[in-house]
Amino acid sequence: DFFKSHDFFPWDMRQAARYLADVTKEDARVQVYGMDPYLLFLAQRRSATPYIYAYDLNADAALDGGWSNRPTWIEAEHIRAARSAHERDLLARLREAPPEAFVFIDHAPLISYPEAWEDFRRCCREAATFVAERYHPARSFGEVHVWLRDDAPVKDAEGLP
């Protein structure tokens, strides 16, 4: 609790990581949408794609420009093109080898909506449709939400630490 802040939730991540370690195979791949690959480290699982940060898929912060760094029109077009290419690549990778789990981390830096699933759904419509059709919310640990594949055997998680 002493380290919990507006965008870093170590206890939530530890609990979610333990759950992932318990309900997925050792060689499972997990896709995270948020900001913290620390969850993957704790769960000892690999990322399903190279997109371990939400800002690769949500260009809003880059387009906003932050502190007086607004992109030019051509830079904004490059940012949008890169984001679109990332989503296409993400979706292709998900289709080719669907990860065992998808994790959404709410209140992550550089996302546009407080809830990560809402942000993902609005920023990556095609990929979100893919996830919604094949995954379901399994467990939530504060700000960290674990979704499992519908075709995966789901173990009873009651009583897990």
Side-chain angles (χ1 to χ4, degrees), residues 95-109:
R95 285 179 173 147
E96 182 178 323
E100 283 192 37
F102 222 103
V103 178
F104 296 95
I105 303 175
D106 292 346
H107 302 286

Side-chain angles (χ1 to χ4, degrees), residues 79-137:
I79 291 168
R80 286 185 191 95
R83 193 229 62 85
S84 293
H86 291 164
E87 183 184 5
R88 283 190 307 275
D89 184 53
L90 170 82
L91 187 53
R93 290 170 186 265
L94 295 177
R95 285 179 173 147
E96 182 178 323
E100 283 192 37
F102 222 103
V103 178
F104 296 95
I105 303 175
D106 292 346
H107 302 286
L110 305 179
I111 65 174
S112 304
Y113 297 87
E115 294 178 358
W117 168 248
E118 179 72 8
D119 194 82
F120 185 71
R121 192 176 66 78
R122 291 179 181 261
C123 293
C124 299
R125 286 192 167 103
E126 284 189 70
T129 298
F130 176 89
V131 172
E133 290 172 348
R134 291 164 180 82
Y135 293 79
H136 63 275

